[in-house]
């Protein structure tokens, strides 16, 4: 179902005219109301009247999380607090949290955007949607909640954790849609198996997964174990939360809400735009936010934009699923490594489950790289030589791709920690 054909099927010329009008209004809005943006623009010699084309967005300053932390808590708000109806924030696990605000209009827009994402994934008015995201300061649960309600579907706000209760609700309530991280969906499947619950026999038919990357292997395993179609979506609290982009039934990328956000993809080393279709760092400018607009926000997410036609009928461009971030790069013995590179190798080896942990330590003044992987029960062998050969084969394949010697540790299914939130794939013990 296309929730909003007027904008999801808009022609490119009309879209760009709309984007330019909204960009000009946003730049004028933040220049008048947000001291940080005004100071940065004046440093660059830019005034709102200088934005005459979409290309002029490149004249505006970048911002990233550091600016949001430096102005904590309300320094980037464009409205006074008595006009802000909702505040959310990040976890703040690495320092002060990032605080974001919403006006009444922003909440309405957010609900529309998440309704668009949910409808695109396949949620219908007749669905019973079980929410397994955390409710609280995290934007994920609340954002999808209101969008699903706007569609008219019935939502079950179960929240995160309490897996036994989730399994009970799936059986007793007849849930047809699950909203969670992909990691938690796999955990639910594993716990269901352990409890003797035949999840494939339940009415559950669809999953909306976000909050972390969903690899191809994870998707296949979720679909196989739960008997559902898994879909991916993208959002971040600093921009709005979930609702920025979402996958349609064609599963060929996530359609961007281009009427509300202007996307750029840049080379993170030079800050220059990359060629269409090439991978780079995603930069987002909001076009309709009132309380907390952002100009050229550096997401640090690595992706590419696809503007080719989609069979679903939507004309909005698509982003490829985010698999890496510029700030999750590890430097090990002088070699740059992304966790997604390890993932790509592991998930193409039969017998390996979609759970792994990269452990980096320093031994005798040298970086030590260990990759712990869960393997299927039938891979374990009583013959030690077979296990050693499998372990060596995995290590060799990792070394050929990474250019690093890797110590591989095989562990039994269920050994690596599961969480209701984002999975942790890296443990860096180097201090």
């Amino acid at each position: 179902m296309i929730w909003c054909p007027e904008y999801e099927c808009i022609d490119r010329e009309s879209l760009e005219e709309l984007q330019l009008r909204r960009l000009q209004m946003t730049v004028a809005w933040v220049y008048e109301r947000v001291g940080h943006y005004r100071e940065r623009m004046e440093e660059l010699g830019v005034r709102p009247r200088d934005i005459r084309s979409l290309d002029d967005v490149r004249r505006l300053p970048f911002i990233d999380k550091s600016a949001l932390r430096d102005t904590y808590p309300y320094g980037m708000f464009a409205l006074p607090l008595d006009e802000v109806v909702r505040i959310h924030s990040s976890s703040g696990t690495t320092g002060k949290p990032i605080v974001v605000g919403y006006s009444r209009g922003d909440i309405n827009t957010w609900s529309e955007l998440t309704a668009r994402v949910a409808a695109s994934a396949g949620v219908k008015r007749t669905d019973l949607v079980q929410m397994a995201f955390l409710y609280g300061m995290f934007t994920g649960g609340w954002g999808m909640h209101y969008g699903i309600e706007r569609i008219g579907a019935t939502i079950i706000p179960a929240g995160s954790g309490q897996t036994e209760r989730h399994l009970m609700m799936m059986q007793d309530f007849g849930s047809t849609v699950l909203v969670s991280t992909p990691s938690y969906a796999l955990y639910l499947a594993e716990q269901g198996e352990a409890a003797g619950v035949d999840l494939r026999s339940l009415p559950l038919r669809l999953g909306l997964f976000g909050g972390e990357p969903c690899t191809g292997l994870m998707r296949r395993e979720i679909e196989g174990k739960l008997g559902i179609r898994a879909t991916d979506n993208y959002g971040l609290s600093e921009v709005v939360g979930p609702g920025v982009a979402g996958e349609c039934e064609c599963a060929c990328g996530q359609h961007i809400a281009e009427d509300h956000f202007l996307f750029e993809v840049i080379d993170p080393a030079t800050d220059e735009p990359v060629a269409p279709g090439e991978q780079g760092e995603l930069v987002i400018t909001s076009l309709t936010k009132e309380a907390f607009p952002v100009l050229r926000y550096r997401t640090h997410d690595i992706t590419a934009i696809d503007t080719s036609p989609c069979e679903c009928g939507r004309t909005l461009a698509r982003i490829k699923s985010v698999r890496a971030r510029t700030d999750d790069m590890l430097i090990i013995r002088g070699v740059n490594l992304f966790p997604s590179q390890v993932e790509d190798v592991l998930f193409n080896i039969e017998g390996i489950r979609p759970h792994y942990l990269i452990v980096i330590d320093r031994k005798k003044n040298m970086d030590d790289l260990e990759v712990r992987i869960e393997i299927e029960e039938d891979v374990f062998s009583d013959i030690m030589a077979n296990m050693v050969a499998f372990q060596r084969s995995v290590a060799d394949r990792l070394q050929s791709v990474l250019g690093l010697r890797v110590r591989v540790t095989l562990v039994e299914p269920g050994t690596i920690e599961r969480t209701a939130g984002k999975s942790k794939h890296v443990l860096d013990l180097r201090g």
Side-chain angles (χ1 to χ4, degrees):
M1 175 176 72
I2 298 178
W3 177 253
C4 185
E6 178 185 1
Y7 291 113
E8 292 183 79
C9 302
I10 191 172
D11 67 89
R12 180 58 51 178
E13 183 178 354
S14 298
L15 173 63
E16 290 180 355
E17 289 175 359
L18 176 66
Q19 287 180 317
L20 179 56
R21 287 199 306 272
R22 289 180 167 178
L23 174 64
Q24 291 170 328
M25 291 171 61
T26 295
V27 172
W29 180 262
V30 300
Y31 185 83
E32 293 169 5
R33 293 168 173 262
V34 184
H36 178 86
Y37 284 121
R38 182 168 55 253
E39 291 167 11
R40 292 292 310 280
M41 288 174 64
E42 288 176 350
E43 287 172 5
L44 296 173
V46 182
R47 298 292 186 274
R49 62 176 178 273
D50 298 324
I51 306 302
R52 300 187 180 93
S53 70
L54 289 178
D55 286 340
D56 286 334
V57 72
R58 295 177 56 198
R59 304 183 65 177
L60 298 172
F62 289 111
I63 66 160
D64 60 13
K65 284 186 178 180
S66 63
L68 307 187
R69 290 195 176 108
D70 290 346
T71 55
Y72 171 88
Y74 307 129
M76 299 296 276
F77 282 26
L79 288 176
L81 282 179
D82 61 2
E83 295 182 46
V84 173
V85 300
R86 177 89 64 78
I87 288 176
H88 283 284
S89 76
S90 66
S91 62
T93 53
T94 57
K96 291 287 189 181
I98 289 167
V99 178
V100 296
Y102 300 78
S103 68
R104 180 68 61 191
D106 291 333
I107 293 293
N108 185 59
T109 298
W110 193 15
S111 300
E112 278 292 305
L113 290 174
T114 48
R116 187 184 294 187
V117 166
S120 178
V123 175
K124 301 175 182 176
R125 187 177 178 277
T126 52
D127 276 312
L128 274 73
V129 183
Q130 188 160 324
M131 177 68 69
F133 268 136
L134 176 70
Y135 283 87
M137 299 306 286
F138 173 58
T139 57
W142 289 109
M144 292 306 298
H145 180 116
Y146 286 111
I148 289 164
E149 281 192 339
R150 181 156 295 197
I151 287 174
T154 301
I155 193 156
I156 304 167
S160 65
Q162 302 188 56
T163 302
E164 289 183 8
R165 186 180 67 162
H166 272 290
L167 292 170
M168 179 198 72
M169 287 178 174
M170 284 181 179
Q171 296 172 86
D172 296 350
F173 294 0
S175 308
T176 58
V177 179
L178 172 67
V179 181
S180 73
T181 63
S183 298
Y184 190 63
L186 279 176
Y187 183 64
L188 273 172
E190 291 172 349
Q191 294 304 300
E193 280 183 23
V197 179
D198 182 8
L199 293 168
R200 293 184 60 87
S201 70
L202 301 181
L204 203 65
R205 66 174 188 86
L206 177 66
L208 275 66
F209 302 119
E212 65 180 2
C214 184
T215 66
L217 184 63
M218 289 178 80
R219 182 189 291 243
R220 290 193 298 273
E221 183 151 342
I222 290 168
E223 291 180 334
K225 288 183 179 296
L226 293 176
I228 65 175
R229 182 169 65 86
T231 67
D232 205 359
N233 61 80
Y234 176 81
L236 58 168
S237 298
E238 302 93 312
V239 174
V240 70
V244 176
E247 199 171 63
C248 68
E249 62 269 23
C250 299
C252 56
Q254 300 170 47
H255 288 279
I256 306 160
E258 290 187 276
D259 48 323
H260 292 275
F261 306 104
L262 187 62
F263 277 38
E264 303 171 74
V265 179
I266 64 169
D267 181 333
T270 65
D271 295 344
E272 293 298 316
V274 301
E278 287 190 5
Q279 284 203 333
E281 180 184 353
L282 183 63
V283 176
I284 304 178
T285 296
S286 65
L287 300 177
T288 55
K289 290 284 293 295
E290 296 175 341
F292 194 85
V294 291
L295 298 184
R296 304 196 82 192
Y297 182 74
R298 300 189 69 146
T299 67
H300 297 297
D301 290 328
I302 302 295
T303 188
I305 292 181
D306 184 356
T307 57
S308 63
C310 183
E311 292 181 5
C312 74
R314 294 173 179 84
T315 55
L316 301 175
R318 305 181 300 282
I319 56 168
K320 295 181 179 179
S321 291
V322 173
R323 295 287 316 285
R325 291 176 52 84
T326 60
D327 56 0
D328 72 3
M329 185 180 74
L330 303 166
I331 301 177
I332 301 171
R333 300 176 217 139
V335 176
N336 296 343
L337 179 151
F338 287 97
S340 58
Q341 293 174 283
V342 174
E343 203 169 83
D344 288 339
V345 174
L346 297 180
F347 292 175
N348 282 300
I349 300 175
E350 189 173 350
I352 292 179
R353 294 168 60 84
H355 303 286
Y356 69 95
L357 182 65
I358 300 169
V359 183
I360 311 113
D361 205 348
R362 185 161 283 124
K363 298 181 178 179
K364 296 181 180 179
N365 297 319
M366 288 287 290
D367 289 341
D368 177 77
L369 176 61
E370 177 192 8
V371 178
R372 299 174 189 169
I373 56 176
E374 287 189 13
I375 57 177
E376 301 287 357
E377 293 279 7
D378 55 7
V379 174
F380 278 102
S381 171
D382 292 333
I383 303 172
M384 181 60 69
N386 292 345
M387 294 297 294
V388 171
F390 182 81
Q391 197 170 15
R392 185 179 297 123
S393 171
V394 175
D396 288 345
R397 289 178 69 167
L398 284 168
Q399 184 170 356
S400 68
V401 171
L402 306 178
L404 287 166
R405 187 176 66 258
V406 181
R407 184 159 50 88
V408 173
T409 302
L410 308 180
V411 300
E412 295 181 354
T415 302
I416 293 173
E417 181 184 6
R418 272 60 156 171
T419 67
K422 299 181 183 182
S423 292
K424 184 174 183 178
H425 291 305
V426 178
L427 180 60
D428 195 338
L429 302 173
R430 294 176 294 182

